[in-house]
Amino acid sequence: MKLIHPKTLWRRFRAWQERPFHYKNHSQGTQHCANCGTTFNDNFCPRCGQAAGSGRVGWNTIRYGVMEMWNLESRSLLTTLWQLLLRPGHLIDDYLSGKRQTSYPPVKMLLMVAVGIDIIRNLLGIPPNGATSISEADVNSLLALYNQWAEQNQGWSYLIQGVFLIFPTWLFFRNSPRHRHHTLPEGFFLQAFMSSLMLLLDALGDFMDQWVGLLILVYIYFIYHRIFGFRLWGTLWRTALSLFFSIFTVFIIIVGIEVIYDCIR
Ligand SMILES: [Zn+2]
């Protein structure tokens, strides 16, 4: 067996990261759309979107129907999750800059991942991680209660943290070299992708314990580095400030609620 040099493998991996999909015209000759009657020369009908060569129902239709039901077609959930793990920055960057066809819809993905992981955890009987006990004196502290909840529901606490990352990310990264004029809607989709990734990594954390926290930070760094294009330090301090800002906002909100509650009680 001929071994491939690691450098060659790395180069191929990098090329795949840059451009995972190749779109070719598979149609042979002129096509006649069976749905709307348009004549065209490509993979899909430009008017109604039906695939070229769709005719009478056959075995392929069944195969496609089953794949579609499980979201296994071309821009499938699994393909997108795979990309999210191996080329997260590229995938999100592609999506933000208009390459929507490369990705499963991010908000739908977040929902599917959250529900999917909960179902799998229940089936496997995996208890929520980090079930620390709370001391009697702390029971009245909302912050302590939140911290306990967040430890037991890390996935969901990442989602909350993600929401509060939208604004600081916009604040610190809005005029970046690679992505001029970063907007809040872009930030929303960025966090939707990141939250799916966090949930996924957190689920992997069932098998790799405390390393997952470090892994998540590394991922966040590389995603921000890829999308916004600041150098090492530029990315590091902006990411650190954004994370701090996000955690601090949640802290302030909880303490604020507690103070107001204490006042009216
Ligand atoms: Zn058509």
Side-chain angles (χ1 to χ4, degrees):
M1 200 178 86
K2 206 181 136 206
L3 282 174
I4 305 169
H5 197 275
K7 262 189 185 164
T8 315
L9 272 181
W10 177 248
R11 256 206 319 273
R12 280 187 200 168
F13 175 67
R14 294 292 293 180
W16 173 80
Q17 277 193 316
E18 288 296 334
R19 200 161 165 260
F21 299 109
H22 301 274
Y23 298 100
K24 291 188 184 121
N25 186 348
H26 297 293
S27 72
Q28 285 144 5
T30 308
Q31 304 281 328
H32 196 75
C33 180
N35 184 39
C36 70
T38 305
T39 306
F40 61 100
N41 188 354
D42 219 318
N43 299 338
F44 293 92
C45 170
R47 186 161 300 163
C48 75
Q50 177 157 295
S54 303
R56 288 175 56 183
V57 166
W59 287 107
N60 267 338
T61 322
I62 296 181
R63 190 180 59 87
Y64 186 78
V66 172
M67 303 270 274
E68 196 185 25
M69 184 171 76
W70 292 102
N71 285 308
L72 292 172
E73 349 81 283
S74 50
R75 53 171 201 156
S76 71
L77 179 58
L78 284 182
T79 320
T80 307
L81 290 179
W82 183 242
Q83 291 185 67
L84 198 55
L85 284 172
L86 292 181
R87 57 185 294 272
H90 295 77
L91 173 74
I92 302 171
D93 191 34
D94 282 354
Y95 188 87
L96 295 184
S97 49
K99 294 187 176 179
R100 301 287 143 71
Q101 287 298 327
T102 57
S103 168
Y104 191 78
V107 179
K108 200 167 150 192
M109 173 164 71
L110 182 55
L111 199 73
M112 300 284 277
V113 169
V115 173
I117 287 176
D118 265 2
I119 291 175
I120 292 172
R121 274 197 176 136
N122 274 327
L123 283 178
L124 296 178
I126 298 172
N129 29 11
T132 45
S133 62
I134 191 164
S135 68
E136 286 288 317
D138 284 340
V139 172
N140 288 323
S141 158
L142 195 59
L143 196 61
L145 280 176
Y146 175 79
N147 280 337
Q148 192 200 27
W149 175 85
E151 248 179 74
Q152 288 172 4
N153 302 278
Q154 277 179 351
W156 295 106
S157 68
Y158 290 135
L159 291 194
I160 294 177
Q161 225 56 74
V163 170
F164 291 102
L165 256 178
I166 296 176
F167 179 72
T169 301
W170 172 81
L171 190 66
F172 298 120
F173 288 91
R174 67 188 190 284
N175 283 318
S176 62
R178 269 186 62 86
H179 212 95
R180 301 240 161 253
H181 312 297
H182 175 60
T183 64
L184 288 175
E186 285 176 339
F188 171 79
F189 283 102
L190 167 62
Q191 293 310 325
F193 275 107
M194 296 240 292
S195 298
S196 296
L197 181 63
M198 299 305 137
L199 289 179
L200 211 59
L201 293 175
D202 182 56
L204 293 179
D206 292 343
F207 309 101
M208 53 187 291
D209 297 334
Q210 64 275 64
W211 289 105
V212 79
L214 185 66
L215 190 64
I216 284 175
L217 289 179
V218 171
Y219 262 105
I220 295 177
Y221 167 81
F222 277 107
I223 289 173
Y224 278 21
H225 177 68
R226 163 70 205 185
I227 293 178
F228 298 110
F230 284 111
R231 286 161 191 275
L232 179 77
W233 281 113
T235 307
L236 265 185
W237 73 257
R238 284 179 177 87
T239 308
L241 265 185
S242 301
L243 286 172
F244 172 78
F245 202 107
S246 148
I247 292 168
F248 191 67
T249 314
V250 174
F251 173 80
I252 289 291
I253 289 174
I254 292 173
V255 171
I257 291 174
E258 198 162 18
V259 167
I260 293 169
Y261 182 72
D262 280 349
C263 283
I264 54 176
R265 191 167 52 174

